[in-house]
Amino acid sequence: MTQNPLLAPVSGLIDYAAVQPAHIVPAIQELLGTARQAVEAAADPTLPAEWEAVVQPLDTASEQLWRAWSVAGHLNAVVNTPELREAYNAALPLVTEFSTWAGLHEGLYRQYQRLRAVPGFEGWDPVRRRIVELALRDFRLSGVELQGEARERYAAISDREAQVAQKFSENVLDAIDAWSLLIDDETRLAGLPADVLQATRQAAQEDGKPGWKLTLKMPCYLPVMQYARDRTLREQMYRAYGTVASEQGDARFDNSSLIEELLALRAEESALLGYGTFAALRLQTRMARDAGEVVAFLRDLATRARPYAERDLAELTAYAAAELGLDILQPWDVAYASERLRETRYAYSEDEIKQYFTEPRVLEGLFQVIETLFNVRLHETEVSRWQADVRGVRVEAPDGALIGHLYLDLYARAGKQSGAWVDSERNRRRLGSRVQTPVVYLTCNFARPGDGKPALLTHDDVITLFHETGHALHALLSEVDEPAASAFASVEWDAIELPSQFMENFCWEWPVVQRLSAHVEHGQPLPRALFDKLVAARNFQSGMQTVRQIEFALFDMLLHDRAQGTSIADALALLQQVRNEVAVLFPPAWHRLPHAFSHLFAGGYGAGYYSYKWAEVLSADAYEAFEEAATQAGEHGTLDAVTGARFRKEVLAVGGARPAAESFQAFRGRAPRIDALLRHSGMVAD
């Protein structure tokens, strides 16, 4: 039998082309056995209470397990075949059981208590002290102090939560993949951009059918909602997307019972651990102190934003009635009418802008921005890949020393989870004189290239790419030598979006956009006049967009700040109450937002969706430092290498080695303020 690529040494790169579903369970079983032995060995009370005797061997043994599991989880998200799903689901309970067992291991808990109690602990390296303190906290939050039936029930809950979240995710993916609409009358597609027409015709041809195949994947769905003149087509697409994975759509993928079960499990888990609600439990590891602080923050922001949202909606409603003949603005009209209003007010369309953002040019410009700000070098390199479109990027110091590897998987396809995200395969770690470099995945769902031309990105796509790159840089530019203090392991969840949202700001800078743009036909960069229109429209409907995000975040926090589980009917009623409080747009009664809300029920953002707005305060304030430096940066504007070096040193390089509030304070010299966010959003008094 050939060697299992998931068992390759952690020091090398994974041979993704060689990974087969059949490799997953045997590798995980073998690595679980090794990790169990390491836990038992580390818990030996006769060991000296020293880092090198307890923590370091445990990290070494568990590192390969978590790397292999990261690879399996990533492949399950981006090439979800029936065989791969079966293998992943077979390994999932094994991994969950191990994680629960390790978190409940009283001997290992006592060993970390011994480390904390050794004379001279206060003189340890600060990063190692923080890791021990966080480990003790996480042991307590993992139920280590539970006994008897409560302990057994906690283990069962943990296992079931993982299974339910995975099934929720599968239902969303399958519901989206299962739905399509074949159009045989091209007049129904009037208004759609040429590249979308070409892609949908090609999709139909690949199925051996005439006409145009529409799907719920974003590169198809969003242009239909923005550009299709056929109102009934927009309504049909809107209903399909708004009922994904619910009883209102394909009943095979209904997530209703899974949502109810997960909420009940989370409430029970919280009670077992001594917390009144799941929100209270989750906020033990956040910057925010409690649910009341989060709710107050969201409601304060809603109070500030709602007048702007009401103005946005009034303008849109009046325009739709006067210019488009839409006397009653329906939800499936909003994106279409908004795009027409944008074109009228600012004399450009997103499709016009898109012609300048070819994917090769955007990547080239993005790399230049990173190199300028953070003094690194990026270039594509050959890697083994899981799909032909995947590319590898080598990140180097100026002297050529390897810093890390980045995998780019940018295009939408069947069997790939929707959305955009970053995850790590391997963290930076120092072993003696050798530094193990990080490996990071960056995944998006952009439209594919077609008709011999490069892929075209909307400006929103460009912002998404910069956003996810910020996450990737947080892992890639870490200078933390211990993986347990890496960004994704220990940065507070409500601060993890700081680097990503920070990077978005550069997409609005003229020197940067010049580097990012080259027209698909003639190669010229975006004209200054068109850029000025883009910037003028930056805060177009920012009020509506802000209250929409607050709606999601407030619903999430209130839903999880309950002592008992919640029925799906009560969850939908709560969502309506939240909308009545903060929203200006109201979907139909049959709309089912929660059923496909993977962030909350499968993506780790349960009781944490507020993090986007919370971190946006941090990111806007951080970017203001670059704006302050811009007056002295000459032609480079905010691409100030000196400020970039400070941001790298105080935020990116330290990962989770210290609390996020301290990192922000070190960079800005003060606590964060909301002023920059309001100014960037155009929500300041005229």
Side-chain angles (χ1 to χ4, degrees), residues 210-487:
W212 297 261
K213 179 184 177 182
L214 305 185
T215 73
L216 299 180
K217 295 286 188 180
M218 274 299 119
C220 177
Y221 175 77
L222 190 57
V224 171
M225 300 310 296
Q226 288 180 309
Y227 295 106
R229 296 174 195 148
D230 187 329
R231 195 182 194 190
T232 60
L233 176 61
R234 297 198 307 269
E235 180 180 3
Q236 192 172 1
M237 294 285 286
Y238 178 89
R239 179 180 282 272
Y241 194 80
T243 57
V244 159
S246 77
E247 88 288 358
Q248 296 288 329
D250 190 330
R252 294 176 298 167
F253 310 118
D254 182 11
N255 272 333
S256 297
S257 62
L258 296 179
I259 292 172
E260 292 179 338
E261 183 177 3
L262 196 55
L263 291 172
L265 290 169
R266 288 173 173 178
E268 187 179 359
E269 172 194 3
S270 307
L272 282 173
L273 295 175
Y275 296 95
T277 68
F278 185 70
L281 170 61
R282 278 299 176 93
L283 290 170
Q284 299 304 304
T285 60
R286 310 297 198 244
M287 291 179 69
R289 293 184 298 271
D290 53 41
E293 182 181 13
V294 172
V295 170
F297 163 73
L298 293 171
R299 284 179 166 152
D300 175 61
L301 190 55
T303 299
R304 297 169 185 260
R306 182 156 180 160
Y308 295 93
E310 291 170 341
R311 184 184 67 185
D312 290 342
L313 181 58
E315 292 174 347
L316 182 64
T317 302
Y319 173 82
E323 303 298 330
L324 304 177
L326 299 173
D327 293 333
I328 299 177
L329 188 70
Q330 297 289 357
W332 45 88
D333 299 325
V334 171
Y336 177 76
S338 295
E339 184 59 20
R340 302 293 77 70
L341 176 58
R342 185 207 305 271
E343 293 171 359
T344 299
R345 179 176 294 175
Y346 302 105
Y348 82 91
S349 71
E350 286 197 354
D351 187 55
E352 180 183 7
I353 294 285
K354 183 171 67 173
Q355 307 307 311
Y356 287 91
F357 290 119
T358 63
E359 180 214 310
R361 179 64 172 170
V362 170
L363 283 178
E364 179 185 351
L366 171 61
F367 289 1
Q368 290 174 3
V369 169
I370 296 168
E371 291 172 352
T372 301
L373 288 174
F374 304 124
N375 194 30
V376 296
R377 303 293 176 263
L378 295 88
H379 59 84
E380 292 199 25
T381 185
E382 280 300 316
V383 292
S384 178
R385 61 202 73 203
W386 53 88
Q387 208 273 344
D389 295 325
V390 174
R391 281 168 286 177
V393 177
R394 181 180 168 95
V395 184
E396 297 176 345
D399 63 2
L402 177 64
I403 293 176
H405 282 88
L406 175 66
Y407 288 88
L408 298 174
D409 186 351
L410 300 181
Y411 307 137
R413 58 179 176 267
K416 182 179 181 182
Q417 296 284 359
S418 60
W421 67 91
V422 163
D423 206 349
S424 62
E425 176 207 293
R426 182 180 76 195
N427 290 313
R428 173 189 161 99
R429 187 184 183 198
R430 182 175 293 278
L431 297 166
S433 61
R434 183 176 67 83
V435 174
Q436 174 182 286
T437 56
V439 178
V440 179
Y441 311 115
L442 192 161
T443 308
C444 294
N445 272 277
F446 301 147
R448 306 175 65 84
D451 199 24
K453 296 179 180 179
L456 300 178
L457 307 186
T458 67
H459 190 250
D460 283 344
D461 289 338
V462 175
I463 292 172
T464 295
L465 182 60
F466 270 67
H467 177 104
E468 299 305 335
T469 299
H471 282 309
L473 292 172
H474 210 177
L476 288 165
L477 300 187
S478 170
E479 295 176 11
V480 180
D481 292 333
E482 304 293 347
S486 66

Side-chain angles (χ1 to χ4, degrees), residues 500-567:
S500 56
Q501 293 175 330
F502 158 79
M503 284 295 294
E504 293 181 19
N505 291 282
F506 291 101
C507 301
W508 298 98
E509 299 289 350
W510 173 238
V512 174
V513 170
Q514 287 179 296
R515 302 182 187 206
L516 297 175
S517 58
H519 195 278
V520 66
E521 298 295 343
H522 52 67
Q524 294 299 307
L526 188 75
R528 181 62 195 241
L530 195 50
F531 170 77
D532 289 342
K533 294 176 182 178
L534 183 68
V535 172
R538 177 178 183 177
N539 292 320
F540 177 63
Q541 297 183 344
S542 64
M544 290 203 304
Q545 292 166 8
T546 298
V547 297
R548 180 73 165 150
Q549 287 298 105
I550 294 170
E551 173 191 323
F552 295 164
L554 191 57
F555 167 66
D556 167 45
M557 186 54 61
L558 295 177
L559 182 67
H560 287 105
D561 195 32
R562 296 180 167 194
Q564 291 86 31
T566 302
S567 70

Side-chain angles (χ1 to χ4, degrees), residues 47 59 98-99 135 165 172 189 229 247 256 261 270 324 489-490 572:
L47 288 176
D59 282 350
F98 168 79
S99 297
V172 175
L189 303 177
R229 296 174 195 148
E247 88 288 358
S256 297
E261 183 177 3
S270 307
L324 304 177
S490 56
L572 292 171

Side-chain angles (χ1 to χ4, degrees), residues 37 153 473 507 513 543 563 582 649:
Q37 293 173 5
R153 179 57 185 158
L473 292 172
C507 301
V513 170
V582 303
K649 175 185 176 183

